[in-house]
Amino acid sequence: QRELWDQFGIPYEVLSPEEVRKRWPAFETGKFYPPKSIEDPAFADDPYDQLSALFDPLSGFMDDPMLAAHNLAHAAKSHGAEFFFHKEVSGITKSGDRVTGVTLATGESISAPIVINAAGPHAAKINRLAGVYDEMKVHHQPLRQEVFSPPAPVGFRLEDSAPIVADLDLGQYFRPHMGDLLNVGTTEPACDPLHFIEDADDWNDQVTVEFFERVMLRLARRLDSAVRQVELERFLHGVRHEWQPVQERPARRQVHAHLDRGPGTGHRSRRDATRVRRRSDGQGHQPRCILTTSLRSRDRRKRDGLAFASCEQVGLESGEPPEFWITDHPDRVSGLHQQFVDAGADIILTNTFGCNRHRLKLHNAQARVHELAAGAARLARSVADAASRPVVVAGSVGPTGELFEPLGALTHDEAVDAFAEQIEGLKEGGADVAWIETMSAPEEMRAAAEA
């Protein structure tokens, strides 16, 4: 590795195990190489040596690829670039051995002296359309991967100047992320099976217990103090056959807004939906926000971890939308809420992360947004009200999965309407707050907050 860095003139420092631990106290420097499957009994062996590290003080990482692409698109437009969104390329036009443009599924032709294939997971399909796939020295095939985001331990957060770590000793990478989180993934070591996808338009986008256990157990060997509650993300890589990633999905952030859920209020305006829920104690005392009151009573509050992994553990099938469980298996959803309350959670999340018209449309259920959101809030409300202590019901509001203009077709008003529909259902069902989470685009966060 050092010889390669020297060859390309990359500046670096060689850090001893003691220097690594001094800079980042949360980092465990035990050596376990080579990477092993978690099913291998040798995975649990004690470290046999200590790791040193190569540290490049000038390197960094792009935290929000979608925002970066958005900025590049605006810059390109200022120089005369024109964008065509939601257009399918159906053919590549050629004159002799030269490519002269593309043909769209609408029949429209676009002439261009140079055509660049930047299709990511769809790159192989475009190369086949051009008739050059077989002669390409580098072939592409979609590779399914999963990234997990546990809370970052103290000493390895952005404010701690923690670096991105390529941990080839264990076969993983991780880096700090906004919101005191980590992004954790795999470096595809030889001991791990690779999940190649035949069709980039038809793949399972649900997280799996297999990936979760593999990534998090390895992380625990390096960052022993990493917290176990996690947020999950799925994505497809477009990779060369030597497995170098060329595309990934962006990271995520969380925003919290309060819901107004007073008796007899009916459906309020979108902006009214962000007011705090207030209630009187019947003795003329000043009404208070239930979440603010709860937070003031203790320095910290525990949130539950209701997510795909939890549902999978009690029977959720791969590819099955967890929101359907609200009506199909309400007992299982309530049981998960109860488990988190019993474990000490002060805030429980509704099972509505993907309960918006755009996500549910993938399952022909876009007309069920209000029904499912309200039903999910009622299930959580019932468990919270039966608890022996105050428990806040947070209505989970995740991203639409759509790109905003100009990169996509989704407008601000359309996004606000979609989020408002979901939030109205959560409010009707008894949610105390809207828990806006896992969004990378500022436009989407603004739309959700306005809703």
Side-chain angles (χ1 to χ4, degrees):
Q1 186 71 47
R2 293 179 61 179
E3 290 78 8
L4 189 62
W5 285 29
D6 288 336
Q7 179 182 345
F8 286 97
I10 300 174
Y12 62 87
E13 304 172 36
V14 179
L15 302 181
S16 68
E18 294 76 21
E19 289 172 321
V20 171
R21 292 193 297 269
K22 183 177 179 180
R23 294 195 188 194
W24 304 287
F27 200 94
E28 301 286 342
T29 55
K31 189 172 185 178
F32 303 94
Y33 190 85
K36 303 171 185 67
S37 166
I38 62 173
E39 285 80 21
D40 186 341
F43 178 82
D45 288 352
D46 291 333
Y48 61 86
D49 202 349
Q50 294 290 302
L51 289 173
S52 58
L54 299 183
F55 175 61
D56 177 5
L58 301 182
S59 65
F61 51 86
M62 185 188 302
D63 190 68
D64 193 336
M66 183 181 291
L67 180 59
H70 197 166
N71 292 337
L72 289 172
H74 278 293
K77 287 181 68 175
S78 69
H79 289 279
E82 183 179 359
F83 290 84
F84 297 84
F85 296 108
H86 294 276
K87 302 289 187 180
E88 179 184 352
V89 174
S90 60
I92 306 294
T93 57
K94 300 170 67 175
S95 177
D97 292 332
R98 293 190 60 85
V99 170
T100 58
V102 300
T103 302
L104 305 182
T106 58
E108 180 181 4
S109 295
I110 300 175
S111 299
I114 298 175
V115 175
I116 299 174
N117 181 357
H122 296 83
K125 184 176 182 179
I126 297 297
N127 286 338
R128 288 189 177 95
L129 287 176
V132 298
Y133 180 84
D134 292 334
E135 65 188 68
M136 299 291 287
K137 293 183 178 180
V138 177
H139 289 166
H140 293 77
Q141 186 174 357
L143 174 66
R144 185 185 185 278
Q145 274 289 10
E146 298 179 21
V147 166
F148 300 83
S149 291
V154 174
F156 213 86
R157 299 173 179 172
L158 281 176
E159 56 264 35
D160 302 315
S161 299
I164 181 170
V165 176
D167 186 358
L168 302 182
D169 183 73
L170 287 169
Q172 65 180 349
Y173 72 86
F174 53 90
R175 64 171 177 81
H177 180 54
M178 290 180 296
D180 292 340
L181 298 174
L182 296 174
N183 272 4
V184 188
T186 174
T187 59
E188 293 93 39
C191 60
D192 289 354
L194 297 176
H195 299 274
F196 287 104
I197 306 300
E198 293 299 325
D199 185 353
D201 294 315
D202 183 18
W203 59 285
N204 172 24
D205 67 348
Q206 304 298 317
V207 294
T208 62
V209 173
E210 172 193 2
F211 262 97
F212 169 73
E213 291 181 341
R214 180 190 307 159
V215 171
M216 296 306 294
L217 286 174
R218 284 175 176 160
L219 180 67
R221 306 228 72 175
R222 192 62 70 208
L223 296 176
D224 185 57
S225 56
V227 183
R228 285 176 168 76
Q229 287 182 331
V230 297
E231 300 289 343
L232 311 175
E233 179 175 354
R234 295 83 55 207
F235 63 87
L236 268 187
H237 271 323
V239 299
R240 300 197 297 270
H241 273 184
E242 53 269 43
W243 311 324
Q244 298 296 320
V246 295
Q247 178 176 335
E248 68 177 77
R249 281 186 54 183
R252 49 243 177 243
R253 306 178 184 136
Q254 292 184 342
V255 179
H256 308 133
H258 301 290
L259 294 183
D260 189 333
R261 191 173 57 83
T265 57
H267 289 183
R268 300 194 175 192
S269 69
R270 296 168 184 162
R271 288 182 174 83
D272 285 341
T274 62
R275 297 181 198 163
V276 299
R277 173 193 174 207
R278 298 184 179 276
R279 54 188 182 184
S280 171
D281 60 7
Q283 300 178 5
H285 294 169
Q286 179 68 28
R288 296 170 295 175
C289 168
I290 184 173
L291 182 58
T292 302
T293 301
S294 178
L295 290 173
R296 286 176 178 170
S297 66
R298 276 216 314 268
D299 290 337
R300 294 172 179 261
R301 286 283 145 182
K302 298 178 183 177
R303 174 179 70 82
D304 78 7
L306 182 60
F308 295 112
S310 299
C311 293
E312 281 188 341
Q313 291 173 4
V314 290
L316 182 69
E317 296 293 334
S318 186
E320 180 185 3
E323 290 78 15
F324 283 6
W325 272 26
I326 296 163
T327 54
D328 295 348
H329 301 289
D331 55 328
R332 298 182 188 179
V333 177
S334 296
L336 288 171
H337 287 316
Q338 188 63 58
Q339 289 180 35
F340 286 115
V341 170
D342 292 343
D346 302 300
I347 304 171
I348 56 176
L349 298 185
T350 58
N351 186 30
T352 54
F353 178 81
C355 192
N356 62 69
R357 65 183 66 161
H358 298 283
R359 296 299 300 171
L360 291 179
K361 186 177 181 180
L362 300 175
H363 308 281
N364 296 316
Q366 60 269 32
R368 300 185 62 192
V369 173
H370 192 276
E371 169 205 353
L372 294 175
R378 290 189 189 100
L379 293 176
R381 179 84 267 153
S382 176
V383 173
D385 288 346
S388 60
R389 66 183 188 283
V391 174
V392 175
V393 174
S396 176
V397 179
T400 62
E402 301 290 331
L403 291 177
F404 279 66
E405 294 181 329
L407 292 180
L410 186 63
T411 68
H412 174 79
D413 287 344
E414 288 170 345
V416 171
D417 285 341
F419 288 129
E421 180 182 26
Q422 180 182 3
I423 291 173
E424 287 291 345
L426 291 168
K427 181 170 62 173
E428 180 180 299
D432 296 303
V433 298
W435 191 277
I436 300 170
E437 58 178 330
T438 321
M439 296 182 184
S440 60
E443 304 96 324
E444 191 157 43
M445 286 184 273
R446 284 192 289 268
E450 181 176 332

